[in-house]
């Protein structure tokens, strides 16, 4: 199951596979229902088998060669189409030159997009499979959260986010050598310590490689997105997701609660993602803004700018709460 999980995480992504089925036409079909169903079934089974190579060719672990071919071939077509359009649509000779320039720029843009997209998909699928091989759930969650939050919009941002991913993977691999054996010993004693040593060694071998693949993937994704930076943008989120409490009642939208929930979900790179938000209180300080976050399991002091915890106390450890002249005292 471990091997299957690693393989499916690596080769499971298929992107924009252009599957097309031929229609089935039956004229004067005076047959039984079972024969009719059999004919339809056989037709679509055969059509599906003819599409297998297209599905495989669109797989991320191969670099999506079908998508690469479509992008490059579209660019090549534009080299001839744009000048032709300029010549046909108007009798002005300068339109031919503009058409040639448009065609050449489209070819370069689509070629760069295709090759960088192929590189990003290949390296991304490799790092995804290796991340599953680390057996470190906390590292996997933090990496997934970091990737979803730090999508590179251009090449420069791709270099910085890729460098950060590489550095954090290296740090996690080296730190795991000490951390995993200690955590294992606390939970399962001597057997847990041995498991932790194995987990730490596995992380030391895989996490730097994951960091290198993430670096390459982010740089390639940044280059790819640079080619579309001036295109019309898609839909952007207008506001943060609505906060809905544990009672499940949908109340009028509250910006403060939505912001508090967002802070909790992204705190410490997603460490508290599965916690349920109750409330937060911002502490007045211009130099070092802080806030108190309350969930159903913890109360914590958070640095607002970096979204990292200063301290974190489980509610079960709290003995007493009293109101003081200067605020609230928690023992």
């Amino acid at each position: 199951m471990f091997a299957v999980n690693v393989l499916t995480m690596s080769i499971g992504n298929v992107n924009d596979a252009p599957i097309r089925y031929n229609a089935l036409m039956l004229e004067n079909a005076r047959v039984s229902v079972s024969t009719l169903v059999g004919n339809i079934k056989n037709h679509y089974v055969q059509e599906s088998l003819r599409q297998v190579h297209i599905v495989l060719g669109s797989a991320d672990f191969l670099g999506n060669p079908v998508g690469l071919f479509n992008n490059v071939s579209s660019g090549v077509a534009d080299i001839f189409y744009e000048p032709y359009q300029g010549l046909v649509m108007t009798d002005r000779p300068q339109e031919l030159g503009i058409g040639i320039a448009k065609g050449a720029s489209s070819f370069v843009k689509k070629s760069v997009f295709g090759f960088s997209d192929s590189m990003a998909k290949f390296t991304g699928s490799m790092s995804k499979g290796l991340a599953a091989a680390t057996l470190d759930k906390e590292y996997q969650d933090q990496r997934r959260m970091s990737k979803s939050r730090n999508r590179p919009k251009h090449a420069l941002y791709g270099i910085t986010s890729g460098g950060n991913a590489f550095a954090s993977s290296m740090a996690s691999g080296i730190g795991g050598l000490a951390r995993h054996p200690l955590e294992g010993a606390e939970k399962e004693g001597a057997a847990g310590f041995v498991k932790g040593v194995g987990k730490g060694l596995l992380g030391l071998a895989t996490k730097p490689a994951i960091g290198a693949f993430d670096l390459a993937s982010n740089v390639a994704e940044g280059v790819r997105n640079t080619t579309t930076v001036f295109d019309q943008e898609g839909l952007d989120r207008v506001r943060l997701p609505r906060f809905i409490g544990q009672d499940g009642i949908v109340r009028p939208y509250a910006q403060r609660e939505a912001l508090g929930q967002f802070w909790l979900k992204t705190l410490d790179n997603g460490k508290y993602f599965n916690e349920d938000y109750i409330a937060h209180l911002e502490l007045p300080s211009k130099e070092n803004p802080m806030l108190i976050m309350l969930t159903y399991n913890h109360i914590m002091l958070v640095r607002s700018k970096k979204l990292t915890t200063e301290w974190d106390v489980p509610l079960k450890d709290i003995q007493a709460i009293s109101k003081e002249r200067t605020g609230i005292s928690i023992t």
Side-chain angles (χ1 to χ4, degrees):
M1 285 307 297
F2 170 72
V4 168
N5 188 30
V6 172
L7 284 172
T8 51
M9 289 294 276
S10 295
I11 67 176
N13 283 15
V14 175
N15 187 62
D16 290 341
I19 297 173
R20 295 183 181 86
Y21 286 83
N22 289 321
L24 172 65
M25 289 192 68
L26 299 172
E27 293 184 349
N28 301 318
R30 295 179 177 86
V31 293
S32 65
V33 173
S34 59
T35 305
L36 179 63
V37 170
N39 284 341
I40 295 171
K41 180 181 175 182
N42 290 336
H43 170 76
Y44 283 108
V45 166
Q46 291 298 319
E47 287 296 312
S48 298
L49 291 175
R50 290 195 186 100
Q51 310 287 326
V52 168
H53 66 285
I54 296 175
V55 175
L56 288 176
S58 300
D60 283 3
F61 80 101
L62 293 176
N64 193 5
V66 170
L68 173 62
F69 174 78
N70 288 341
N71 278 305
V72 174
S73 60
S74 175
V76 171
D78 285 347
I79 291 177
F80 301 99
Y81 176 76
E82 291 292 348
Y84 173 76
Q85 280 289 98
L87 198 61
V88 169
M89 296 298 289
T90 178
D91 55 357
R92 294 190 303 166
Q94 60 265 35
E95 289 297 326
L96 176 62
I98 294 171
I100 291 171
K102 278 185 179 178
S105 65
S106 176
F107 171 71
V108 171
K109 176 182 168 182
K110 288 181 178 179
S111 297
V112 171
F113 179 93
F115 282 106
S116 57
D117 180 62
S118 185
M119 182 70 176
K121 283 181 166 51
F122 170 73
T123 52
S125 64
M126 290 297 103
S127 63
K128 196 175 176 184
L130 282 173
T134 61
L135 299 175
D136 188 344
K137 184 73 167 59
E138 184 181 346
Y139 169 74
Q140 291 169 12
D141 290 342
Q142 287 185 357
R143 176 182 169 274
R144 186 163 54 246
M145 179 66 72
S146 178
K147 280 186 75 69
S148 65
R149 285 178 61 193
N150 300 315
R151 291 283 181 191
K153 294 184 177 180
H154 50 77
L156 190 60
Y157 192 75
I159 293 170
T160 56
S161 62
N164 288 335
F166 180 70
S168 63
S169 292
M170 285 289 291
S172 179
I174 295 168
L177 274 177
R179 183 168 55 87
H180 290 309
L182 291 174
E183 289 178 352
E186 285 179 6
K187 292 178 182 177
E188 302 177 37
F193 179 80
V194 174
K195 285 182 184 176
V197 170
K199 202 172 177 181
L201 291 173
L202 185 64
L204 185 64
T206 54
K207 287 176 182 177
I210 293 168
F213 277 122
D214 278 342
L215 173 61
S217 176
N218 277 286
V219 171
E221 192 174 345
V223 171
R224 180 193 69 189
N225 292 342
T226 302
T227 63
T228 60
V229 74
F230 296 112
D231 293 352
Q232 186 176 357
E233 288 291 328
L235 292 175
D236 288 328
R237 181 179 289 282
V238 175
R239 67 184 192 187
L240 295 170
R242 178 193 303 270
F243 167 70
I244 299 176
Q246 282 195 335
D247 57 12
I249 297 173
V250 179
R251 294 179 173 84
Y253 183 82
Q255 176 69 29
R256 174 185 166 77
E257 292 177 343
L259 181 60
Q261 176 181 248
F262 172 75
W263 279 340
L264 174 65
K265 299 299 182 185
T266 53
L267 188 60
D268 285 346
N269 287 324
K271 181 180 178 181
Y272 303 95
F273 186 82
N274 294 319
E275 296 269 340
D276 288 318
Y277 167 83
I278 296 179
H280 73 277
L281 175 67
E282 295 181 61
L283 305 180
S285 173
K286 291 183 178 179
E287 295 179 358
N288 190 18
M290 311 280 272
L291 62 94
I292 297 289
M293 184 74 69
L294 180 66
T295 73
Y296 283 93
N297 297 317
H298 298 87
I299 183 168
M300 57 198 88
L301 181 66
V302 179
R303 290 183 179 274
S304 301
K305 289 184 178 178
K306 296 182 179 179
L307 282 181
T308 55
T309 50
E310 276 287 294
W311 50 256
D312 169 16
V313 178
L315 296 186
K316 60 183 176 62
D317 293 347
I318 294 176
Q319 303 299 319
I321 301 175
S322 60
K323 191 173 185 304
E324 305 289 340
R325 185 176 59 82
T326 54
I328 296 174
S329 172
I330 301 174
T331 308

